[in-house]
Tab-separated table of all heavy atoms in Angstrom:
chain	number	residue	atom	x	y	z
Y	1	MET	N	34.525	-88.193	109.951
Y	1	MET	CA	35.368	-88.150	111.324
Y	1	MET	C	35.524	-89.667	111.593
Y	1	MET	O	34.795	-90.471	111.800
Y	1	MET	CB	34.514	-87.619	112.298
Y	1	MET	CG	35.237	-87.495	113.774
Y	1	MET	SD	34.397	-86.775	114.975
Y	1	MET	CE	34.587	-85.050	114.725
Y	2	GLU	N	36.900	-89.973	111.789
Y	2	GLU	CA	37.373	-91.373	112.210
Y	2	GLU	C	37.357	-91.427	113.587
Y	2	GLU	O	37.960	-90.671	114.268
Y	2	GLU	CB	38.450	-91.688	111.456
Y	2	GLU	CG	38.861	-93.087	111.441
Y	2	GLU	CD	40.146	-93.522	110.636
Y	2	GLU	OE1	40.121	-93.015	109.465
Y	2	GLU	OE2	40.953	-94.205	111.069
Y	3	GLN	N	36.956	-92.666	114.092
Y	3	GLN	CA	36.895	-92.831	115.603
Y	3	GLN	C	38.256	-93.715	115.995
Y	3	GLN	O	38.671	-94.627	115.201
Y	3	GLN	CB	35.813	-93.705	115.968
Y	3	GLN	CG	35.410	-93.819	117.532
Y	3	GLN	CD	34.137	-94.538	117.635
Y	3	GLN	OE1	33.685	-95.335	116.917
Y	3	GLN	NE2	33.546	-94.290	118.730
Y	4	ASP	N	38.809	-93.398	117.079
Y	4	ASP	CA	40.029	-93.956	117.458
Y	4	ASP	C	39.753	-95.302	118.117
Y	4	ASP	O	38.988	-95.383	119.006
Y	4	ASP	CB	40.718	-93.124	118.636
Y	4	ASP	CG	41.969	-93.749	119.050
Y	4	ASP	OD1	42.556	-94.651	118.506
Y	4	ASP	OD2	42.562	-93.177	120.135
Y	5	PRO	N	40.245	-96.466	117.471
Y	5	PRO	CA	39.720	-97.781	117.966
Y	5	PRO	C	40.426	-98.232	119.166
Y	5	PRO	O	40.030	-99.197	119.928
Y	5	PRO	CB	40.222	-98.705	116.829
Y	5	PRO	CG	41.494	-98.044	116.200
Y	5	PRO	CD	41.041	-96.510	116.328
Y	6	LYS	N	41.498	-97.582	119.687
Y	6	LYS	CA	42.225	-97.746	120.937
Y	6	LYS	C	41.527	-97.241	122.074
Y	6	LYS	O	41.166	-96.038	122.186
Y	6	LYS	CB	43.599	-97.297	120.805
Y	6	LYS	CG	44.729	-98.040	121.553
Y	6	LYS	CD	45.956	-97.568	121.247
Y	6	LYS	CE	46.981	-98.188	121.907
Y	6	LYS	NZ	48.385	-97.652	121.677
Y	7	PRO	N	41.203	-98.119	123.085
Y	7	PRO	CA	40.449	-97.526	124.248
Y	7	PRO	C	41.364	-96.730	125.055
Y	7	PRO	O	42.555	-96.731	125.186
Y	7	PRO	CB	40.079	-98.852	125.031
Y	7	PRO	CG	41.074	-99.868	124.687
Y	7	PRO	CD	41.431	-99.499	123.198
Y	8	HIS	N	40.753	-95.641	125.904
Y	8	HIS	CA	41.439	-94.781	126.617
Y	8	HIS	C	41.364	-95.399	128.020
Y	8	HIS	O	40.427	-95.887	128.572
Y	8	HIS	CB	40.698	-93.407	126.610
Y	8	HIS	CG	40.650	-92.782	125.321
Y	8	HIS	ND1	41.746	-92.092	124.819
Y	8	HIS	CD2	39.638	-92.835	124.332
Y	8	HIS	CE1	41.500	-91.794	123.550
Y	8	HIS	NE2	40.261	-92.055	123.270
Y	9	TYR	N	42.523	-95.432	128.735
Y	9	TYR	CA	42.789	-96.065	129.971
Y	9	TYR	C	42.691	-94.957	131.146
Y	9	TYR	O	43.022	-93.802	130.827
Y	9	TYR	CB	44.087	-96.882	130.048
Y	9	TYR	CG	44.030	-97.887	129.081
Y	9	TYR	CD1	44.772	-97.844	127.882
Y	9	TYR	CD2	43.426	-99.063	129.276
Y	9	TYR	CE1	44.765	-98.954	127.070
Y	9	TYR	CE2	43.229	-100.257	128.388
Y	9	TYR	CZ	44.049	-100.056	127.349
Y	9	TYR	OH	43.983	-100.995	126.427
Y	10	PRO	N	42.334	-95.256	132.335
Y	10	PRO	CA	41.722	-96.532	132.669
Y	10	PRO	C	40.335	-96.662	132.308
Y	10	PRO	O	39.558	-95.684	132.064
Y	10	PRO	CB	41.890	-96.423	134.359
Y	10	PRO	CG	41.673	-95.005	134.636
Y	10	PRO	CD	42.326	-94.267	133.408
Y	11	LEU	N	40.001	-98.006	131.940
Y	11	LEU	CA	38.650	-98.177	131.449
Y	11	LEU	C	37.723	-98.211	132.611
Y	11	LEU	O	38.114	-98.729	133.695
Y	11	LEU	CB	38.501	-99.474	130.686
Y	11	LEU	CG	39.079	-99.588	129.341
Y	11	LEU	CD1	38.887	-101.013	128.706
Y	11	LEU	CD2	38.521	-98.557	128.370
Y	12	SER	N	36.511	-97.815	132.454
Y	12	SER	CA	35.453	-97.854	133.536
Y	12	SER	C	34.438	-98.977	133.023
Y	12	SER	O	34.143	-99.194	131.933
Y	12	SER	CB	34.725	-96.452	133.639
Y	12	SER	OG	35.596	-95.568	134.123
Y	13	CYS	N	34.094	-99.809	134.157
Y	13	CYS	CA	33.028	-100.784	133.837
Y	13	CYS	C	31.792	-100.227	133.342
Y	13	CYS	O	31.265	-99.278	133.887
Y	13	CYS	CB	32.798	-101.577	135.294
Y	13	CYS	SG	31.622	-102.867	134.965
Y	14	PRO	N	31.265	-100.777	132.202
Y	14	PRO	CA	29.987	-100.393	131.700
Y	14	PRO	C	28.768	-100.567	132.624
Y	14	PRO	O	27.762	-99.964	132.413
Y	14	PRO	CB	29.908	-101.154	130.374
Y	14	PRO	CG	30.751	-102.339	130.475
Y	14	PRO	CD	31.766	-101.984	131.446
Y	15	LEU	N	28.866	-101.446	133.674
Y	15	LEU	CA	27.803	-101.801	134.370
Y	15	LEU	C	27.768	-101.035	135.759
Y	15	LEU	O	26.898	-100.397	136.194
Y	15	LEU	CB	27.712	-103.383	134.860
Y	15	LEU	CG	27.458	-104.159	133.642
Y	15	LEU	CD1	27.462	-105.693	134.079
Y	15	LEU	CD2	26.260	-103.922	132.894
Y	16	CYS	N	28.989	-101.029	136.402
Y	16	CYS	CA	29.114	-100.302	137.694
Y	16	CYS	C	29.898	-99.066	137.702
Y	16	CYS	O	29.839	-98.329	138.736
Y	16	CYS	CB	29.477	-101.273	138.815
Y	16	CYS	SG	31.114	-101.786	138.724
Y	17	GLY	N	30.756	-98.798	136.738
Y	17	GLY	CA	31.589	-97.656	136.631
Y	17	GLY	C	32.902	-97.587	137.407
Y	17	GLY	O	33.678	-96.794	137.283
Y	18	ILE	N	33.222	-98.746	137.983
Y	18	ILE	CA	34.480	-98.985	138.739
Y	18	ILE	C	35.601	-99.243	137.733
Y	18	ILE	O	35.306	-99.812	136.586
Y	18	ILE	CB	34.382	-100.125	139.847
Y	18	ILE	CG1	33.275	-99.776	140.640
Y	18	ILE	CG2	35.722	-100.359	140.516
Y	18	ILE	CD1	33.456	-98.482	141.546
Y	19	ALA	N	36.812	-99.042	137.986
Y	19	ALA	CA	37.980	-99.125	137.143
Y	19	ALA	C	38.172	-100.761	136.804
Y	19	ALA	O	37.751	-101.505	137.627
Y	19	ALA	CB	39.296	-98.736	137.726
Y	20	MET	N	38.690	-101.084	135.539
Y	20	MET	CA	38.810	-102.294	135.108
Y	20	MET	C	40.343	-102.554	134.916
Y	20	MET	O	41.100	-101.729	134.695
Y	20	MET	CB	38.128	-102.493	133.830
Y	20	MET	CG	36.680	-102.400	133.952
Y	20	MET	SD	35.759	-102.685	132.375
Y	20	MET	CE	35.515	-104.332	132.489
Y	21	ILE	N	40.807	-103.831	135.161
Y	21	ILE	CA	42.264	-104.264	134.990
Y	21	ILE	C	42.378	-104.842	133.586
Y	21	ILE	O	41.497	-105.665	133.299
Y	21	ILE	CB	42.619	-105.253	135.932
Y	21	ILE	CG1	42.627	-104.668	137.430
Y	21	ILE	CG2	43.936	-105.898	135.640
Y	21	ILE	CD1	43.026	-105.580	138.519
Y	22	GLY	N	43.348	-104.318	132.791
Y	22	GLY	CA	43.643	-104.905	131.422
Y	22	GLY	C	44.413	-106.156	131.500
Y	22	GLY	O	45.404	-106.314	132.376
Y	23	GLU	N	44.223	-107.057	130.590
Y	23	GLU	CA	45.043	-108.290	130.490
Y	23	GLU	C	45.190	-108.659	129.061
Y	23	GLU	O	44.495	-108.060	128.126
Y	23	GLU	CB	44.242	-109.534	130.990
Y	23	GLU	CG	43.889	-109.388	132.555
Y	23	GLU	CD	43.185	-110.552	133.051
Y	23	GLU	OE1	43.045	-111.651	132.445
Y	23	GLU	OE2	42.370	-110.368	134.097
Y	24	LYS	N	46.236	-109.251	128.685
Y	24	LYS	CA	46.675	-109.769	127.281
Y	24	LYS	C	46.310	-111.206	127.241
Y	24	LYS	O	46.716	-112.012	128.037
Y	24	LYS	CB	48.199	-109.538	127.053
Y	24	LYS	CG	48.440	-107.979	127.071
Y	24	LYS	CD	49.892	-107.869	126.717
Y	24	LYS	CE	50.310	-106.347	126.606
Y	24	LYS	NZ	51.709	-106.185	126.232
Y	25	THR	N	45.522	-111.610	126.151
Y	25	THR	CA	45.392	-112.996	126.010
Y	25	THR	C	46.522	-113.788	125.523
Y	25	THR	O	46.709	-114.790	125.586
Y	25	THR	CB	44.001	-113.236	125.184
Y	25	THR	OG1	44.151	-112.525	123.876
Y	25	THR	CG2	42.917	-112.825	125.859
Y	26	GLU	N	47.378	-112.994	124.698
Y	26	GLU	CA	48.566	-113.554	124.196
Y	26	GLU	C	49.655	-112.548	124.589
Y	26	GLU	O	49.696	-111.252	124.477
Y	26	GLU	CB	48.378	-113.449	122.633
Y	26	GLU	CG	47.388	-114.472	122.090
Y	26	GLU	CD	47.794	-115.852	122.235
Y	26	GLU	OE1	49.010	-116.253	122.340
Y	26	GLU	OE2	46.831	-116.600	122.527
Y	27	PRO	N	50.766	-113.054	125.191
Y	27	PRO	CA	51.921	-112.112	125.674
Y	27	PRO	C	52.526	-111.281	124.577
Y	27	PRO	O	53.064	-110.249	124.861
Y	27	PRO	CB	52.867	-113.156	126.105
Y	27	PRO	CG	52.186	-114.406	126.488
Y	27	PRO	CD	51.088	-114.385	125.331
Y	28	GLU	N	52.477	-111.598	123.256
Y	28	GLU	CA	53.059	-110.935	122.234
Y	28	GLU	C	52.244	-109.804	121.812
Y	28	GLU	O	52.759	-108.903	121.038
Y	28	GLU	CB	53.373	-111.831	120.952
Y	28	GLU	CG	54.273	-112.969	121.269
Y	28	GLU	CD	53.592	-114.220	121.885
Y	28	GLU	OE1	52.294	-114.334	121.820
Y	28	GLU	OE2	54.226	-114.964	122.657
Y	29	GLN	N	51.059	-109.652	122.275
Y	29	GLN	CA	50.140	-108.680	121.785
Y	29	GLN	C	50.646	-107.227	122.277
Y	29	GLN	O	51.036	-107.130	123.422
Y	29	GLN	CB	48.746	-108.793	122.294
Y	29	GLN	CG	47.985	-109.870	121.486
Y	29	GLN	CD	46.473	-110.005	121.830
Y	29	GLN	OE1	46.124	-111.033	122.339
Y	29	GLN	NE2	45.769	-108.853	121.784
Y	30	PRO	N	50.534	-106.147	121.551
Y	30	PRO	CA	50.958	-104.839	121.958
Y	30	PRO	C	50.038	-104.281	123.036
Y	30	PRO	O	50.604	-103.450	123.784
Y	30	PRO	CB	50.948	-104.097	120.643
Y	30	PRO	CG	50.022	-104.846	119.738
Y	30	PRO	CD	50.046	-106.201	120.128
Y	31	ASP	N	48.840	-104.555	122.998
Y	31	ASP	CA	47.828	-103.878	123.821
Y	31	ASP	C	47.047	-104.854	124.603
Y	31	ASP	O	46.819	-106.072	124.215
Y	31	ASP	CB	46.869	-102.943	123.076
Y	31	ASP	CG	47.635	-101.719	122.592
Y	31	ASP	OD1	48.280	-101.110	123.312
Y	31	ASP	OD2	47.455	-101.403	121.318
Y	32	PHE	N	46.314	-104.503	125.626
Y	32	PHE	CA	45.456	-105.276	126.545
Y	32	PHE	C	44.174	-105.485	125.685
Y	32	PHE	O	43.717	-104.581	125.009
Y	32	PHE	CB	44.990	-104.591	127.794
Y	32	PHE	CG	46.245	-104.357	128.684
Y	32	PHE	CD1	46.685	-103.069	128.839
Y	32	PHE	CD2	46.923	-105.451	129.226
Y	32	PHE	CE1	47.771	-102.812	129.714
Y	32	PHE	CE2	48.038	-105.201	129.985
Y	32	PHE	CZ	48.427	-103.985	130.234
Y	33	ASP	N	43.688	-106.767	125.689
Y	33	ASP	CA	42.518	-106.975	124.913
Y	33	ASP	C	41.398	-107.735	125.752
Y	33	ASP	O	40.289	-107.906	125.219
Y	33	ASP	CB	42.795	-107.932	123.646
Y	33	ASP	CG	43.282	-109.340	124.037
Y	33	ASP	OD1	43.723	-109.500	125.215
Y	33	ASP	OD2	43.276	-110.194	123.326
Y	34	LEU	N	41.664	-107.785	127.078
Y	34	LEU	CA	40.521	-108.428	127.857
Y	34	LEU	C	40.701	-107.550	129.189
Y	34	LEU	O	41.682	-107.121	129.735
Y	34	LEU	CB	41.037	-109.849	128.240
Y	34	LEU	CG	39.938	-110.544	129.102
Y	34	LEU	CD1	38.691	-110.900	128.114
Y	34	LEU	CD2	40.473	-111.832	129.521
Y	35	HIS	N	39.461	-106.992	129.787
Y	35	HIS	CA	39.478	-106.165	130.875
Y	35	HIS	C	38.337	-106.696	131.768
Y	35	HIS	O	37.427	-107.215	131.403
Y	35	HIS	CB	38.932	-104.745	130.414
Y	35	HIS	CG	39.969	-104.108	129.398
Y	35	HIS	ND1	39.922	-104.514	128.171
Y	35	HIS	CD2	40.999	-103.388	129.654
Y	35	HIS	CE1	40.889	-103.730	127.517
Y	35	HIS	NE2	41.610	-103.103	128.474
Y	36	ARG	N	38.909	-106.807	133.018
Y	36	ARG	CA	38.113	-107.310	134.143
Y	36	ARG	C	37.735	-106.253	135.248
Y	36	ARG	O	38.693	-105.516	135.630
Y	36	ARG	CB	38.689	-108.436	134.887
Y	36	ARG	CG	38.912	-109.607	134.046
Y	36	ARG	CD	39.671	-110.821	134.814
Y	36	ARG	NE	40.075	-111.774	133.854
Y	36	ARG	CZ	39.168	-112.803	133.441
Y	36	ARG	NH1	38.026	-112.861	133.768
Y	36	ARG	NH2	39.681	-113.732	132.727
Y	37	CYS	N	36.453	-106.153	135.714
Y	37	CYS	CA	36.029	-105.049	136.581
Y	37	CYS	C	36.577	-105.521	137.969
Y	37	CYS	O	36.520	-106.706	138.294
Y	37	CYS	CB	34.544	-104.870	136.638
Y	37	CYS	SG	34.031	-103.691	137.712
Y	38	LEU	N	37.133	-104.554	138.749
Y	38	LEU	CA	37.607	-104.815	140.070
Y	38	LEU	C	36.436	-104.883	141.032
Y	38	LEU	O	36.534	-105.527	142.216
Y	38	LEU	CB	38.421	-103.656	140.506
Y	38	LEU	CG	39.575	-103.340	139.736
Y	38	LEU	CD1	40.334	-102.061	140.243
Y	38	LEU	CD2	40.689	-104.537	139.961
Y	39	SER	N	35.168	-104.655	140.839
Y	39	SER	CA	34.110	-104.693	141.691
Y	39	SER	C	33.095	-105.761	141.295
Y	39	SER	O	32.969	-106.674	142.180
Y	39	SER	CB	33.336	-103.341	141.607
Y	39	SER	OG	32.277	-103.377	142.636
Y	40	CYS	N	32.494	-105.737	140.199
Y	40	CYS	CA	31.433	-106.697	139.877
Y	40	CYS	C	31.923	-107.903	139.043
Y	40	CYS	O	31.191	-108.797	138.834
Y	40	CYS	CB	30.328	-106.019	139.255
Y	40	CYS	SG	30.674	-105.502	137.513
Y	41	GLY	N	33.200	-107.871	138.573
Y	41	GLY	CA	33.628	-109.124	137.817
Y	41	GLY	C	33.255	-109.152	136.264
Y	41	GLY	O	33.436	-110.068	135.683
Y	42	THR	N	32.672	-107.971	135.837
Y	42	THR	CA	32.276	-108.017	134.364
Y	42	THR	C	33.523	-108.076	133.684
Y	42	THR	O	34.664	-107.516	133.928
Y	42	THR	CB	31.754	-106.673	133.970
Y	42	THR	OG1	30.452	-106.491	134.779
Y	42	THR	CG2	31.440	-106.419	132.589
Y	43	VAL	N	33.523	-108.810	132.422
Y	43	VAL	CA	34.573	-108.931	131.573
Y	43	VAL	C	34.259	-108.416	130.142
Y	43	VAL	O	33.247	-108.638	129.676
Y	43	VAL	CB	34.895	-110.423	131.422
Y	43	VAL	CG1	36.124	-110.613	130.325
Y	43	VAL	CG2	35.387	-111.165	132.662
Y	44	VAL	N	35.294	-107.520	129.713
Y	44	VAL	CA	34.935	-106.820	128.317
Y	44	VAL	C	36.134	-107.225	127.458
Y	44	VAL	O	37.307	-107.094	127.899
Y	44	VAL	CB	34.964	-105.271	128.436
Y	44	VAL	CG1	34.942	-104.727	127.089
Y	44	VAL	CG2	33.730	-104.961	129.281
Y	45	GLU	N	35.849	-107.865	126.311
Y	45	GLU	CA	36.910	-108.279	125.440
Y	45	GLU	C	37.010	-107.484	124.198
Y	45	GLU	O	35.771	-107.146	123.648
Y	45	GLU	CB	36.722	-109.722	124.957
Y	45	GLU	CG	37.779	-110.181	124.054
Y	45	GLU	CD	37.719	-111.715	123.855
Y	45	GLU	OE1	36.756	-112.370	124.174
Y	45	GLU	OE2	38.558	-112.219	123.099
Y	46	ILE	N	38.080	-106.865	123.718
Y	46	ILE	CA	38.240	-105.885	122.691
Y	46	ILE	C	39.047	-106.739	121.617
Y	46	ILE	O	40.265	-106.632	121.681
Y	46	ILE	CB	38.893	-104.655	123.044
Y	46	ILE	CG1	38.071	-103.959	124.153
Y	46	ILE	CG2	38.938	-103.871	121.833
Y	46	ILE	CD1	38.820	-102.725	124.773
Y	47	PRO	N	38.346	-107.404	120.699
Y	47	PRO	CA	39.212	-108.295	119.738
Y	47	PRO	C	39.650	-107.520	118.537
Y	47	PRO	O	39.229	-106.390	118.192
Y	47	PRO	CB	38.032	-109.294	119.132
Y	47	PRO	CG	36.797	-108.500	119.285
Y	47	PRO	CD	36.993	-107.587	120.644
Y	48	GLY	N	40.790	-107.890	118.083
Y	48	GLY	CA	41.284	-107.388	116.732
Y	48	GLY	C	41.817	-105.878	116.951
Y	48	GLY	O	41.713	-105.206	115.930
Y	49	LEU	N	42.468	-105.552	117.984
Y	49	LEU	CA	43.186	-104.261	118.050
Y	49	LEU	C	44.253	-104.135	117.136
Y	49	LEU	O	45.058	-105.074	116.997
Y	49	LEU	CB	43.587	-103.987	119.612
Y	49	LEU	CG	42.624	-103.596	120.530
Y	49	LEU	CD1	43.266	-103.488	122.002
Y	49	LEU	CD2	41.852	-102.260	120.166
Y	50	PRO	N	44.479	-102.991	116.418
Y	50	PRO	CA	45.537	-102.860	115.491
Y	50	PRO	C	46.818	-102.794	116.294
Y	50	PRO	O	46.753	-102.323	117.496
Y	50	PRO	CB	45.149	-101.541	114.707
Y	50	PRO	CG	44.222	-100.835	115.623
Y	50	PRO	CD	43.506	-101.926	116.456
Y	51	PRO	N	47.940	-103.011	115.764
Y	51	PRO	CA	49.300	-102.825	116.461
Y	51	PRO	C	49.431	-101.376	116.902
Y	51	PRO	O	49.085	-100.559	116.141
Y	51	PRO	CB	50.347	-103.187	115.344
Y	51	PRO	CG	49.573	-103.993	114.246
Y	51	PRO	CD	48.187	-103.504	114.336
Y	52	SER	N	50.014	-101.288	118.086
Y	52	SER	CA	50.351	-99.895	118.561
Y	52	SER	C	51.446	-99.157	117.896
Y	52	SER	O	52.293	-99.914	117.363
Y	52	SER	CB	50.489	-99.911	120.029
Y	52	SER	OG	51.730	-100.503	120.361
Y	53	ASP	N	51.584	-97.934	117.931
Y	53	ASP	CA	52.693	-97.211	117.225
Y	53	ASP	C	53.853	-96.953	118.425
Y	53	ASP	O	54.769	-96.267	118.055
Y	53	ASP	CB	52.197	-95.700	116.885
Y	53	ASP	CG	51.083	-95.868	115.784
Y	53	ASP	OD1	51.047	-97.016	115.134
Y	53	ASP	OD2	50.317	-95.038	115.582
Y	54	ASP	N	53.726	-97.572	119.546
Y	54	ASP	CA	54.558	-97.436	120.578
Y	54	ASP	C	55.923	-98.101	120.393
Y	54	ASP	O	56.820	-97.900	121.152
Y	54	ASP	CB	53.962	-97.782	121.955
Y	54	ASP	CG	52.913	-96.878	122.210
Y	54	ASP	OD1	52.668	-95.756	121.682
Y	54	ASP	OD2	51.994	-97.367	123.150
Y	55	GLY	N	56.029	-98.839	119.329
Y	55	GLY	CA	57.300	-99.550	118.900
Y	55	GLY	C	57.602	-100.707	119.726
Y	55	GLY	O	58.455	-101.312	119.992
């Protein structure tokens, strides 16, 4: 069984459970790769996401 590498939105903070805001470190990237928690400030980086199929 293959796991989907793309995260499901909205992401929840792994520490406090509050929603996170997605950001792109490079404007040309197809998907968000940096997420910041709205409550506690936790930052989650998802490196190397494959290109999206959304065209």
Side-chain angles (χ1 to χ4, degrees):
M1 182 186 278
E2 194 171 313
Q3 195 175 22
D4 185 11
K6 207 170 178 183
H8 298 283
Y9 297 104
L11 287 184
S12 295
C13 177
L15 296 180
C16 69
I18 303 297
M20 300 182 88
I21 292 180
E23 301 175 19
K24 295 180 180 182
T25 54
E26 297 291 329
E28 299 82 27
Q29 285 187 238
D31 291 312
F32 300 112
D33 62 344
L34 192 68
H35 299 82
R36 295 183 191 274
C37 179
L38 295 171
S39 179
C40 70
T42 297
V43 177
V44 175
E45 186 174 358
I46 304 174
L49 285 176
S52 71
D53 297 337
D54 296 344

